[in-house]
Amino acid sequence: MIRRAAAPFLAGILVAASMPPWGWWPLAFVGISIYGSIARSRRETSSFGSAAAFAAGWFLPAMAWMWFLTAPGFLVAVALFACLHGAAARAAATFPTHQHGPALIVFHSLAEVVRLSWPFGGVPLATLAIGQSKSPLAALSPLGGVVMITVVVFWISLSQKKFRAVLVTFVVIGVANAWDPTGDTGRTMRITVVQGGGEQGTHAVDTDPREVFDRHMNLTKSLEPDTARDFVLWPENVINVSATGLFADSREYAEILREAKRLQIPMVVGITEDAGVDAFTNAHIVVQPDGFVSSRYDKVRRVPFGEYMPMRSLLSSLGAPTDLVPRDARPGDGRAWLDIGDERASVVISWEVFFGGRVNEGITDGGGIILNPTNGSSYTWSILQTQQLASSRLRAREQGRWLVQAAPTGFSAFVDPNGSVLDRTDISAPGVIERTIAVREGRTPYSFLGNRVYILALLVWALWLIPRRSRAFPRGAS
């Protein structure tokens, strides 16, 4: 059994190597093509096991960041996603030989679609689209987002007519590159991002929140007033007053207000506040020079096992370290944007950048730029951070907007509407980056259609295949 699992597992390793931080994107096509050959040869004998081994090779390295969040959760997630792809392969195996390839494309794509929203609201990391964020396929983002890129990668890799698949894909890429329904408004914003720096692999329960605040405040104090600057952006939840009460009553509020007055611009900062005995809030707010908090967005999509503990009672009874998340974040229910001066920014906090729909909500409501304040300091290595930056590249291209990412320990960066990363900081290093970016308008096809249309197209494709399979296997045939 181990010997039979080795080949598909190694094929999955190749797909993992296409993901950040390794980023050798052509290997995704090599790995999936090898898996496809194995799947065809074992269609009637071990389709589930081969696909599960393939997915395990893919997800074990590419989702290793979860180990630092929850080791049991990491193992459960890999096993669950391996079983999803195993079930996809088993479903495809029920089709006749000439339909097996298309069925593999459809059902493996649907398995990836499931991951976008289930379990715990979705764990859309280590996706094929993230691995293609630097490839020519990233140009498909404004047309069909993550789902389209996923289907195309499987189509090119598993199709028996690869030349035709590649040719059609490059024609569509050419159209996507030539047609841009978004454009500059003629207005700009000069944004300063502050990254305080500090050690990676730390948890909030083991860290003095004042130290994090002081690192960011000291860098902010080094800024000189500049009439061209529109606002200063701090990362997610570097102002943590959740143990003592509300931000408006804190000493940190007074210090932020002092800097807003000195610089004569808004401070856009991340706060964590108390929300009762068992909960806290995670929000980004705009503090004006007169002290008024003019806009606020509370994070809607929480990180499972990071900001809330699913099945807390069960896990606690099993001895799991649920004390790493002693209280659950209370999710917000507002739309994903902040108003800063005369401009509206689509805002997604950290984890939310992996979900295209969250960004699109702010764009639909008139956002001209995208902000992604984040905090990846809990994770050692750079797997999560590089995959997040890759997702930021995809979100910028999906919407035809500049995206600004701010993190306390990295990566902070500006991403242009073509997905190019500019001024990226180093991990753990303190730093300030500043750039004037264009406020843009218009909406891409993806912004209008979202994921649902493409998911529906996949389901229609699956339903179209099923009756054809039935005709290929008439009743009574064996």
Side-chain angles (χ1 to χ4, degrees):
M1 178 182 295
I2 294 177
R3 184 173 297 178
R4 288 181 65 83
F9 183 82
L10 290 175
I13 290 287
L14 293 176
V15 177
S18 74
M19 308 282 165
W22 309 285
W24 300 318
W25 61 264
L27 291 182
F29 302 96
V30 178
I32 297 173
S33 295
I34 293 172
Y35 160 70
S37 297
I38 296 168
R40 285 188 288 272
S41 66
R42 300 179 184 177
R43 180 169 66 90
E44 297 180 357
T45 56
S46 58
S47 54
F48 183 95
S50 295
F54 164 71
W58 169 357
F59 295 122
L60 277 169
M63 295 185 66
W65 62 272
M66 283 189 68
W67 180 270
F68 303 102
L69 192 66
T70 165
F74 165 63
L75 297 175
V76 168
V78 171
L80 177 62
F81 298 151
C83 287
L84 272 177
H85 281 280
R90 187 69 194 93
T94 64
F95 287 76
T97 301
H98 70 281
Q99 287 185 299
H100 184 234
L104 282 174
I105 296 167
V106 170
F107 289 110
H108 280 297
S109 295
L110 286 172
E112 284 297 280
V113 163
V114 169
R115 289 209 301 127
L116 298 180
S117 57
W118 182 85
F120 312 125
V123 187
L125 282 97
T127 64
L128 294 177
I130 285 175
Q132 299 301 309
S133 65
K134 294 182 180 180
S135 85
L137 291 191
L140 300 177
S141 300
L143 296 183
V146 167
V147 176
M148 176 178 278
I149 294 173
T150 299
V151 174
V152 169
V153 172
F154 278 126
W155 181 40
I156 292 174
S157 303
L158 297 174
S159 175
Q160 295 287 340
K161 300 177 180 178
K162 284 184 170 53
F163 178 77
R164 183 177 68 178
V166 171
L167 181 62
V168 171
T169 298
F170 272 89
V171 169
V172 177
I173 288 173
V175 171
N177 284 326
W179 175 49
D180 184 0
T182 66
D184 291 350
T185 62
R187 304 187 303 275
T188 61
M189 300 192 82
R190 188 157 186 84
I191 302 169
T192 301
V193 177
V194 176
Q195 176 174 305
E199 184 181 356
Q200 292 275 92
T202 60
H203 294 277
V205 294
D206 303 319
T207 305
D208 181 356
R210 184 66 198 186
E211 291 182 10
V212 179
F213 176 88
D214 285 342
R215 284 197 290 266
H216 288 79
M217 179 54 71
N218 290 338
L219 281 175
T220 303
K221 287 180 178 179
S222 71
L223 299 174
E224 295 294 334
D226 183 349
T227 57
R229 183 184 293 125
D230 287 284
F231 65 91
V232 172
L233 177 65
W234 277 23
E236 176 192 22
N237 64 30
V238 295
I239 304 174
N240 185 351
V241 295
S242 61
T244 57
L246 300 178
F247 173 66
D249 301 322
S250 68
R251 60 184 284 202
E252 287 81 6
Y253 167 72
E255 294 175 70
I256 288 292
L257 176 56
R258 190 178 304 124
E259 285 305 294
K261 287 181 178 179
R262 183 179 71 85
L263 297 172
Q264 279 300 296
I265 53 170
M267 295 284 293
V268 182
V269 296
I271 64 171
T272 304
E273 293 182 304
D274 176 64
V277 177
D278 299 320
F280 65 93
T281 61
N282 182 357
H284 236 71
I285 61 173
V286 180
V287 181
Q288 298 291 342
D290 62 0
F292 179 59
V293 176
S294 60
S295 195
R296 175 177 176 134
Y297 169 66
D298 284 79
K299 188 175 185 178
V300 173
R301 282 193 176 269
R302 304 166 297 166
V303 182
F305 304 103
E307 291 176 308
Y308 78 102
M309 188 63 64
M311 305 175 293
R312 183 182 291 274
S313 298
L314 173 62
L315 292 173
S316 181
S317 67
L318 296 174
T322 57
D323 57 323
L324 290 177
V325 188
R327 297 192 296 169
D328 291 342
R330 186 178 68 192
D333 57 7
R335 302 284 287 181
W337 48 262
L338 289 172
D339 284 336
I340 309 170
D342 296 327
E343 302 292 350
R344 175 163 290 180
S346 174
V347 177
V348 283
I349 300 177
S350 192
W351 176 252
E352 295 182 315
V353 81
F354 293 103
F355 300 86
R358 293 305 302 156
V359 174
N360 195 41
E361 188 173 275
I363 299 300
T364 300
D365 288 356
I369 64 172
I370 304 168
L371 302 181
N372 177 224
T374 184
N375 186 350
S377 59
S378 298
Y379 308 102
T380 305
W381 305 335
S382 62
I383 296 175
L384 179 70
Q385 293 88 337
T386 52
Q387 290 194 21
Q388 180 169 2
L389 194 56
S391 288
S392 291
R393 297 173 68 129
L394 292 173
R395 300 295 87 83
R397 295 199 76 164
E398 281 172 357
Q399 303 295 344
R401 298 293 193 274
W402 280 87
L403 184 147
V404 187
Q405 183 170 308
T409 59
F411 296 112
S412 300
F414 290 90
V415 183
D416 74 14
N418 294 317
S420 298
V421 177
L422 308 171
D423 307 319
R424 197 196 76 174
T425 60
D426 294 326
I427 288 288
S428 295
V432 174
I433 56 175
E434 188 170 64
R435 180 172 283 268
T436 300
I437 64 175
V439 178
R440 291 171 63 85
E441 61 185 354
R443 294 177 62 189
T444 64
Y446 173 79
S447 180
F448 280 112
L449 299 174
N451 291 325
R452 290 185 179 88
V453 169
Y454 301 100
I455 294 171
L456 179 61
L458 270 174
L459 292 172
V460 169
W461 190 359
L463 292 172
W464 180 76
L465 286 172
I466 289 172
R468 292 165 62 85
R469 178 195 62 179
S470 301
R471 290 196 295 271
F473 289 123
R475 185 171 297 178
S478 58

